[in-house]
Amino acid sequence: RFGVAYLNNPQPVYPSLSRRMGEEGRVLMKVLVGSHGSAKTVDVEDSSGSERLDNAAVNAVKKWRFVPARKNNQPL
């Protein structure tokens, strides 16, 4: 494991239908961060139980920026 840092990224947009239906949940994702700080892959590891909420979370994280891990002062 390498030390990737999170930047101040916005929360996912809560789907309006999910809000009206009272859907709540937590999504655990596995994110591969590229050397330039963007998410190269985003995979759902543990679903919220709602495809709408999972998709909203994945779509948000795909737009996030990260501080990539470094080795010998080089981004990985």
Side-chain angles (χ1 to χ4, degrees), residues 38-68:
S38 61
K40 292 183 83 168
T41 63
V42 180
D43 297 309
V44 173
E45 289 285 302
D46 189 17
S47 173
S48 67
S50 165
E51 188 174 349
R52 271 185 300 278
L53 295 178
D54 291 354
N55 288 340
V58 167
N59 289 335
V61 172
K62 283 181 178 179
K63 297 174 188 171
W64 284 6
R65 299 291 297 168
F66 301 85
V67 177

PDB file of all heavy atoms in Angstrom, residues 38-68:
ATOM      1  N   SER A  38      -5.516  11.483 -10.987  1.00  0.00           N
ATOM      2  CA  SER A  38      -6.893  11.180 -11.377  1.00  0.00           C
ATOM      3  C   SER A  38      -7.200   9.713 -11.092  1.00  0.00           C
ATOM      4  O   SER A  38      -6.304   8.880 -11.002  1.00  0.00           O
ATOM      5  CB  SER A  38      -7.113  11.483 -12.853  1.00  0.00           C
ATOM      6  OG  SER A  38      -6.256  10.693 -13.648  1.00  0.00           O
ATOM      7  N   ALA A  39      -8.486   9.417 -10.937  1.00  0.00           N
ATOM      8  CA  ALA A  39      -8.926   8.048 -10.700  1.00  0.00           C
ATOM      9  C   ALA A  39      -8.910   7.298 -12.029  1.00  0.00           C
ATOM     10  O   ALA A  39      -9.647   7.648 -12.944  1.00  0.00           O
ATOM     11  CB  ALA A  39     -10.321   8.040 -10.100  1.00  0.00           C
ATOM     12  N   LYS A  40      -8.045   6.291 -12.127  1.00  0.00           N
ATOM     13  CA  LYS A  40      -7.977   5.504 -13.365  1.00  0.00           C
ATOM     14  C   LYS A  40      -9.083   4.464 -13.401  1.00  0.00           C
ATOM     15  O   LYS A  40      -9.686   4.231 -14.443  1.00  0.00           O
ATOM     16  CB  LYS A  40      -6.609   4.836 -13.483  1.00  0.00           C
ATOM     17  CG  LYS A  40      -5.483   5.844 -13.709  1.00  0.00           C
ATOM     18  CD  LYS A  40      -4.174   5.162 -13.892  1.00  0.00           C
ATOM     19  CE  LYS A  40      -4.078   4.735 -15.337  1.00  0.00           C
ATOM     20  NZ  LYS A  40      -2.752   4.306 -15.740  1.00  0.00           N
ATOM     21  N   THR A  41      -9.329   3.807 -12.274  1.00  0.00           N
ATOM     22  CA  THR A  41     -10.440   2.861 -12.174  1.00  0.00           C
ATOM     23  C   THR A  41     -11.132   3.067 -10.834  1.00  0.00           C
ATOM     24  O   THR A  41     -10.503   3.400  -9.842  1.00  0.00           O
ATOM     25  CB  THR A  41      -9.987   1.388 -12.278  1.00  0.00           C
ATOM     26  OG1 THR A  41      -9.123   1.079 -11.186  1.00  0.00           O
ATOM     27  CG2 THR A  41      -9.296   1.109 -13.597  1.00  0.00           C
ATOM     28  N   VAL A  42     -12.452   2.879 -10.835  1.00  0.00           N
ATOM     29  CA  VAL A  42     -13.262   2.972  -9.625  1.00  0.00           C
ATOM     30  C   VAL A  42     -14.183   1.758  -9.619  1.00  0.00           C
ATOM     31  O   VAL A  42     -14.994   1.594 -10.528  1.00  0.00           O
ATOM     32  CB  VAL A  42     -14.097   4.272  -9.592  1.00  0.00           C
ATOM     33  CG1 VAL A  42     -14.924   4.342  -8.321  1.00  0.00           C
ATOM     34  CG2 VAL A  42     -13.211   5.498  -9.743  1.00  0.00           C
ATOM     35  N   ASP A  43     -14.024   0.916  -8.619  1.00  0.00           N
ATOM     36  CA  ASP A  43     -14.833  -0.304  -8.514  1.00  0.00           C
ATOM     37  C   ASP A  43     -15.566  -0.331  -7.185  1.00  0.00           C
ATOM     38  O   ASP A  43     -14.998   0.026  -6.146  1.00  0.00           O
ATOM     39  CB  ASP A  43     -13.950  -1.542  -8.616  1.00  0.00           C
ATOM     40  CG  ASP A  43     -13.234  -1.653  -9.955  1.00  0.00           C
ATOM     41  OD1 ASP A  43     -13.916  -1.541 -10.989  1.00  0.00           O
ATOM     42  OD2 ASP A  43     -12.009  -1.836  -9.953  1.00  0.00           O
ATOM     43  N   VAL A  44     -16.814  -0.767  -7.204  1.00  0.00           N
ATOM     44  CA  VAL A  44     -17.593  -0.926  -5.979  1.00  0.00           C
ATOM     45  C   VAL A  44     -17.153  -2.219  -5.306  1.00  0.00           C
ATOM     46  O   VAL A  44     -17.241  -3.288  -5.890  1.00  0.00           O
ATOM     47  CB  VAL A  44     -19.112  -0.944  -6.275  1.00  0.00           C
ATOM     48  CG1 VAL A  44     -19.905  -1.269  -5.023  1.00  0.00           C
ATOM     49  CG2 VAL A  44     -19.559   0.378  -6.871  1.00  0.00           C
ATOM     50  N   GLU A  45     -16.650  -2.093  -4.073  1.00  0.00           N
ATOM     51  CA  GLU A  45     -16.235  -3.254  -3.292  1.00  0.00           C
ATOM     52  C   GLU A  45     -17.375  -3.744  -2.412  1.00  0.00           C
ATOM     53  O   GLU A  45     -17.512  -4.940  -2.184  1.00  0.00           O
ATOM     54  CB  GLU A  45     -15.028  -2.901  -2.413  1.00  0.00           C
ATOM     55  CG  GLU A  45     -13.750  -2.692  -3.187  1.00  0.00           C
ATOM     56  CD  GLU A  45     -13.141  -3.998  -3.656  1.00  0.00           C
ATOM     57  OE1 GLU A  45     -12.845  -4.851  -2.808  1.00  0.00           O
ATOM     58  OE2 GLU A  45     -12.986  -4.164  -4.878  1.00  0.00           O
ATOM     59  N   ASP A  46     -18.162  -2.814  -1.871  1.00  0.00           N
ATOM     60  CA  ASP A  46     -19.289  -3.159  -1.004  1.00  0.00           C
ATOM     61  C   ASP A  46     -20.427  -2.202  -1.338  1.00  0.00           C
ATOM     62  O   ASP A  46     -20.330  -1.003  -1.088  1.00  0.00           O
ATOM     63  CB  ASP A  46     -18.873  -3.042   0.465  1.00  0.00           C
ATOM     64  CG  ASP A  46     -19.920  -3.592   1.420  1.00  0.00           C
ATOM     65  OD1 ASP A  46     -20.822  -4.348   0.980  1.00  0.00           O
ATOM     66  OD2 ASP A  46     -19.852  -3.266   2.619  1.00  0.00           O
ATOM     67  N   SER A  47     -21.483  -2.724  -1.926  1.00  0.00           N
ATOM     68  CA  SER A  47     -22.602  -1.920  -2.414  1.00  0.00           C
ATOM     69  C   SER A  47     -23.442  -1.358  -1.269  1.00  0.00           C
ATOM     70  O   SER A  47     -23.529  -1.936  -0.187  1.00  0.00           O
ATOM     71  CB  SER A  47     -23.482  -2.786  -3.308  1.00  0.00           C
ATOM     72  OG  SER A  47     -24.662  -2.093  -3.673  1.00  0.00           O
ATOM     73  N   SER A  48     -24.101  -0.252  -1.567  1.00  0.00           N
ATOM     74  CA  SER A  48     -25.054   0.344  -0.630  1.00  0.00           C
ATOM     75  C   SER A  48     -26.364  -0.435  -0.621  1.00  0.00           C
ATOM     76  O   SER A  48     -27.207  -0.224   0.242  1.00  0.00           O
ATOM     77  CB  SER A  48     -25.345   1.781  -1.041  1.00  0.00           C
ATOM     78  OG  SER A  48     -26.035   1.797  -2.283  1.00  0.00           O
ATOM     79  N   GLY A  49     -26.549  -1.258  -1.624  1.00  0.00           N
ATOM     80  CA  GLY A  49     -27.818  -1.958  -1.797  1.00  0.00           C
ATOM     81  C   GLY A  49     -28.718  -1.245  -2.799  1.00  0.00           C
ATOM     82  O   GLY A  49     -29.788  -1.739  -3.140  1.00  0.00           O
ATOM     83  N   SER A  50     -28.284  -0.071  -3.246  1.00  0.00           N
ATOM     84  CA  SER A  50     -29.035   0.702  -4.233  1.00  0.00           C
ATOM     85  C   SER A  50     -28.113   1.000  -5.406  1.00  0.00           C
ATOM     86  O   SER A  50     -27.079   1.659  -5.241  1.00  0.00           O
ATOM     87  CB  SER A  50     -29.534   2.014  -3.632  1.00  0.00           C
ATOM     88  OG  SER A  50     -29.956   2.898  -4.650  1.00  0.00           O
ATOM     89  N   GLU A  51     -28.505   0.563  -6.581  1.00  0.00           N
ATOM     90  CA  GLU A  51     -27.699   0.821  -7.771  1.00  0.00           C
ATOM     91  C   GLU A  51     -27.583   2.327  -8.040  1.00  0.00           C
ATOM     92  O   GLU A  51     -26.538   2.805  -8.462  1.00  0.00           O
ATOM     93  CB  GLU A  51     -28.304   0.107  -8.979  1.00  0.00           C
ATOM     94  CG  GLU A  51     -27.432   0.160 -10.209  1.00  0.00           C
ATOM     95  CD  GLU A  51     -27.981  -0.671 -11.357  1.00  0.00           C
ATOM     96  OE1 GLU A  51     -28.923  -1.456 -11.161  1.00  0.00           O
ATOM     97  OE2 GLU A  51     -27.443  -0.506 -12.476  1.00  0.00           O
ATOM     98  N   ARG A  52     -28.664   3.076  -7.766  1.00  0.00           N
ATOM     99  CA  ARG A  52     -28.633   4.532  -7.971  1.00  0.00           C
ATOM    100  C   ARG A  52     -27.569   5.192  -7.096  1.00  0.00           C
ATOM    101  O   ARG A  52     -26.797   6.035  -7.550  1.00  0.00           O
ATOM    102  CB  ARG A  52     -29.994   5.155  -7.641  1.00  0.00           C
ATOM    103  CG  ARG A  52     -30.965   5.214  -8.785  1.00  0.00           C
ATOM    104  CD  ARG A  52     -32.230   5.963  -8.379  1.00  0.00           C
ATOM    105  NE  ARG A  52     -32.918   5.327  -7.254  1.00  0.00           N
ATOM    106  CZ  ARG A  52     -33.747   4.297  -7.373  1.00  0.00           C
ATOM    107  NH1 ARG A  52     -34.000   3.802  -8.568  1.00  0.00           N
ATOM    108  NH2 ARG A  52     -34.324   3.776  -6.324  1.00  0.00           N
ATOM    109  N   LEU A  53     -27.536   4.813  -5.808  1.00  0.00           N
ATOM    110  CA  LEU A  53     -26.557   5.400  -4.898  1.00  0.00           C
ATOM    111  C   LEU A  53     -25.141   4.975  -5.267  1.00  0.00           C
ATOM    112  O   LEU A  53     -24.210   5.787  -5.237  1.00  0.00           O
ATOM    113  CB  LEU A  53     -26.864   5.014  -3.450  1.00  0.00           C
ATOM    114  CG  LEU A  53     -28.175   5.557  -2.875  1.00  0.00           C
ATOM    115  CD1 LEU A  53     -28.381   5.047  -1.455  1.00  0.00           C
ATOM    116  CD2 LEU A  53     -28.227   7.066  -2.914  1.00  0.00           C
ATOM    117  N   ASP A  54     -24.977   3.710  -5.623  1.00  0.00           N
ATOM    118  CA  ASP A  54     -23.657   3.222  -6.038  1.00  0.00           C
ATOM    119  C   ASP A  54     -23.161   3.996  -7.254  1.00  0.00           C
ATOM    120  O   ASP A  54     -22.017   4.450  -7.296  1.00  0.00           O
ATOM    121  CB  ASP A  54     -23.702   1.731  -6.378  1.00  0.00           C
ATOM    122  CG  ASP A  54     -23.938   0.842  -5.165  1.00  0.00           C
ATOM    123  OD1 ASP A  54     -23.958   1.347  -4.031  1.00  0.00           O
ATOM    124  OD2 ASP A  54     -24.111  -0.369  -5.383  1.00  0.00           O
ATOM    125  N   ASN A  55     -24.024   4.164  -8.258  1.00  0.00           N
ATOM    126  CA  ASN A  55     -23.634   4.873  -9.479  1.00  0.00           C
ATOM    127  C   ASN A  55     -23.304   6.333  -9.205  1.00  0.00           C
ATOM    128  O   ASN A  55     -22.355   6.878  -9.778  1.00  0.00           O
ATOM    129  CB  ASN A  55     -24.731   4.768 -10.539  1.00  0.00           C
ATOM    130  CG  ASN A  55     -24.837   3.386 -11.130  1.00  0.00           C
ATOM    131  OD1 ASN A  55     -23.901   2.588 -11.064  1.00  0.00           O
ATOM    132  ND2 ASN A  55     -25.986   3.075 -11.693  1.00  0.00           N
ATOM    133  N   ALA A  56     -24.074   6.982  -8.333  1.00  0.00           N
ATOM    134  CA  ALA A  56     -23.797   8.374  -7.987  1.00  0.00           C
ATOM    135  C   ALA A  56     -22.425   8.501  -7.338  1.00  0.00           C
ATOM    136  O   ALA A  56     -21.655   9.418  -7.648  1.00  0.00           O
ATOM    137  CB  ALA A  56     -24.888   8.922  -7.059  1.00  0.00           C
ATOM    138  N   ALA A  57     -22.110   7.566  -6.449  1.00  0.00           N
ATOM    139  CA  ALA A  57     -20.808   7.599  -5.772  1.00  0.00           C
ATOM    140  C   ALA A  57     -19.671   7.353  -6.759  1.00  0.00           C
ATOM    141  O   ALA A  57     -18.670   8.075  -6.757  1.00  0.00           O
ATOM    142  CB  ALA A  57     -20.785   6.558  -4.656  1.00  0.00           C
ATOM    143  N   VAL A  58     -19.811   6.356  -7.609  1.00  0.00           N
ATOM    144  CA  VAL A  58     -18.771   6.042  -8.595  1.00  0.00           C
ATOM    145  C   VAL A  58     -18.567   7.222  -9.541  1.00  0.00           C
ATOM    146  O   VAL A  58     -17.427   7.619  -9.818  1.00  0.00           O
ATOM    147  CB  VAL A  58     -19.116   4.753  -9.381  1.00  0.00           C
ATOM    148  CG1 VAL A  58     -18.219   4.594 -10.596  1.00  0.00           C
ATOM    149  CG2 VAL A  58     -19.014   3.538  -8.475  1.00  0.00           C
ATOM    150  N   ASN A  59     -19.645   7.810 -10.038  1.00  0.00           N
ATOM    151  CA  ASN A  59     -19.529   8.947 -10.964  1.00  0.00           C
ATOM    152  C   ASN A  59     -18.833  10.140 -10.314  1.00  0.00           C
ATOM    153  O   ASN A  59     -18.049  10.842 -10.970  1.00  0.00           O
ATOM    154  CB  ASN A  59     -20.905   9.353 -11.493  1.00  0.00           C
ATOM    155  CG  ASN A  59     -21.468   8.329 -12.451  1.00  0.00           C
ATOM    156  OD1 ASN A  59     -20.729   7.577 -13.087  1.00  0.00           O
ATOM    157  ND2 ASN A  59     -22.781   8.270 -12.550  1.00  0.00           N
ATOM    158  N   ALA A  60     -19.095  10.372  -9.042  1.00  0.00           N
ATOM    159  CA  ALA A  60     -18.431  11.475  -8.339  1.00  0.00           C
ATOM    160  C   ALA A  60     -16.942  11.202  -8.186  1.00  0.00           C
ATOM    161  O   ALA A  60     -16.106  12.059  -8.477  1.00  0.00           O
ATOM    162  CB  ALA A  60     -19.071  11.691  -6.971  1.00  0.00           C
ATOM    163  N   VAL A  61     -16.591  10.001  -7.744  1.00  0.00           N
ATOM    164  CA  VAL A  61     -15.184   9.677  -7.481  1.00  0.00           C
ATOM    165  C   VAL A  61     -14.366   9.675  -8.770  1.00  0.00           C
ATOM    166  O   VAL A  61     -13.194  10.041  -8.765  1.00  0.00           O
ATOM    167  CB  VAL A  61     -15.061   8.344  -6.713  1.00  0.00           C
ATOM    168  CG1 VAL A  61     -13.617   7.890  -6.597  1.00  0.00           C
ATOM    169  CG2 VAL A  61     -15.678   8.485  -5.328  1.00  0.00           C
ATOM    170  N   LYS A  62     -14.979   9.331  -9.890  1.00  0.00           N
ATOM    171  CA  LYS A  62     -14.269   9.367 -11.173  1.00  0.00           C
ATOM    172  C   LYS A  62     -13.797  10.782 -11.511  1.00  0.00           C
ATOM    173  O   LYS A  62     -12.829  10.952 -12.245  1.00  0.00           O
ATOM    174  CB  LYS A  62     -15.169   8.852 -12.304  1.00  0.00           C
ATOM    175  CG  LYS A  62     -15.311   7.356 -12.327  1.00  0.00           C
ATOM    176  CD  LYS A  62     -16.199   6.923 -13.475  1.00  0.00           C
ATOM    177  CE  LYS A  62     -16.318   5.410 -13.547  1.00  0.00           C
ATOM    178  NZ  LYS A  62     -17.191   4.996 -14.654  1.00  0.00           N
ATOM    179  N   LYS A  63     -14.455  11.807 -10.961  1.00  0.00           N
ATOM    180  CA  LYS A  63     -14.098  13.201 -11.226  1.00  0.00           C
ATOM    181  C   LYS A  63     -13.154  13.774 -10.169  1.00  0.00           C
ATOM    182  O   LYS A  63     -12.666  14.889 -10.324  1.00  0.00           O
ATOM    183  CB  LYS A  63     -15.361  14.055 -11.283  1.00  0.00           C
ATOM    184  CG  LYS A  63     -16.294  13.660 -12.404  1.00  0.00           C
ATOM    185  CD  LYS A  63     -17.587  14.444 -12.314  1.00  0.00           C
ATOM    186  CE  LYS A  63     -18.591  13.899 -13.318  1.00  0.00           C
ATOM    187  NZ  LYS A  63     -19.917  14.481 -13.126  1.00  0.00           N
ATOM    188  N   TRP A  64     -12.946  13.036  -9.083  1.00  0.00           N
ATOM    189  CA  TRP A  64     -12.108  13.533  -7.996  1.00  0.00           C
ATOM    190  C   TRP A  64     -10.653  13.604  -8.410  1.00  0.00           C
ATOM    191  O   TRP A  64     -10.212  12.935  -9.336  1.00  0.00           O
ATOM    192  CB  TRP A  64     -12.220  12.627  -6.786  1.00  0.00           C
ATOM    193  CG  TRP A  64     -13.478  12.785  -5.995  1.00  0.00           C
ATOM    194  CD1 TRP A  64     -14.565  13.547  -6.303  1.00  0.00           C
ATOM    195  CD2 TRP A  64     -13.787  12.134  -4.767  1.00  0.00           C
ATOM    196  NE1 TRP A  64     -15.523  13.410  -5.342  1.00  0.00           N
ATOM    197  CE2 TRP A  64     -15.074  12.553  -4.389  1.00  0.00           C
ATOM    198  CE3 TRP A  64     -13.111  11.237  -3.963  1.00  0.00           C
ATOM    199  CZ2 TRP A  64     -15.679  12.112  -3.218  1.00  0.00           C
ATOM    200  CZ3 TRP A  64     -13.713  10.793  -2.801  1.00  0.00           C
ATOM    201  CH2 TRP A  64     -14.983  11.231  -2.429  1.00  0.00           C
ATOM    202  N   ARG A  65      -9.907  14.415  -7.675  1.00  0.00           N
ATOM    203  CA  ARG A  65      -8.454  14.512  -7.840  1.00  0.00           C
ATOM    204  C   ARG A  65      -7.805  14.066  -6.531  1.00  0.00           C
ATOM    205  O   ARG A  65      -8.326  14.334  -5.459  1.00  0.00           O
ATOM    206  CB  ARG A  65      -8.039  15.951  -8.152  1.00  0.00           C
ATOM    207  CG  ARG A  65      -8.639  16.497  -9.438  1.00  0.00           C
ATOM    208  CD  ARG A  65      -8.112  15.865 -10.674  1.00  0.00           C
ATOM    209  NE  ARG A  65      -6.677  16.155 -10.773  1.00  0.00           N
ATOM    210  CZ  ARG A  65      -5.868  15.573 -11.616  1.00  0.00           C
ATOM    211  NH1 ARG A  65      -6.327  14.662 -12.451  1.00  0.00           N
ATOM    212  NH2 ARG A  65      -4.602  15.877 -11.660  1.00  0.00           N
ATOM    213  N   PHE A  66      -6.700  13.386  -6.650  1.00  0.00           N
ATOM    214  CA  PHE A  66      -5.959  12.868  -5.508  1.00  0.00           C
ATOM    215  C   PHE A  66      -4.508  13.333  -5.600  1.00  0.00           C
ATOM    216  O   PHE A  66      -4.032  13.703  -6.666  1.00  0.00           O
ATOM    217  CB  PHE A  66      -5.967  11.334  -5.510  1.00  0.00           C
ATOM    218  CG  PHE A  66      -7.344  10.725  -5.451  1.00  0.00           C
ATOM    219  CD1 PHE A  66      -8.087  10.531  -6.605  1.00  0.00           C
ATOM    220  CD2 PHE A  66      -7.892  10.334  -4.244  1.00  0.00           C
ATOM    221  CE1 PHE A  66      -9.351   9.961  -6.566  1.00  0.00           C
ATOM    222  CE2 PHE A  66      -9.155   9.768  -4.186  1.00  0.00           C
ATOM    223  CZ  PHE A  66      -9.882   9.576  -5.351  1.00  0.00           C
ATOM    224  N   VAL A  67      -3.820  13.271  -4.484  1.00  0.00           N
ATOM    225  CA  VAL A  67      -2.383  13.470  -4.477  1.00  0.00           C
ATOM    226  C   VAL A  67      -1.787  12.070  -4.572  1.00  0.00           C
ATOM    227  O   VAL A  67      -1.970  11.263  -3.665  1.00  0.00           O
ATOM    228  CB  VAL A  67      -1.904  14.173  -3.186  1.00  0.00           C
ATOM    229  CG1 VAL A  67      -0.386  14.291  -3.186  1.00  0.00           C
ATOM    230  CG2 VAL A  67      -2.553  15.531  -3.050  1.00  0.00           C
ATOM    231  N   PRO A  68      -1.130  11.735  -5.680  1.00  0.00           N
ATOM    232  CA  PRO A  68      -0.645  10.355  -5.855  1.00  0.00           C
ATOM    233  C   PRO A  68       0.473  10.017  -4.865  1.00  0.00           C
ATOM    234  O   PRO A  68       1.175  10.905  -4.377  1.00  0.00           O
ATOM    235  CB  PRO A  68      -0.129  10.339  -7.291  1.00  0.00           C
ATOM    236  CG  PRO A  68       0.173  11.747  -7.618  1.00  0.00           C
ATOM    237  CD  PRO A  68      -0.775  12.582  -6.816  1.00  0.00           C
TER     238      PRO A  68
END
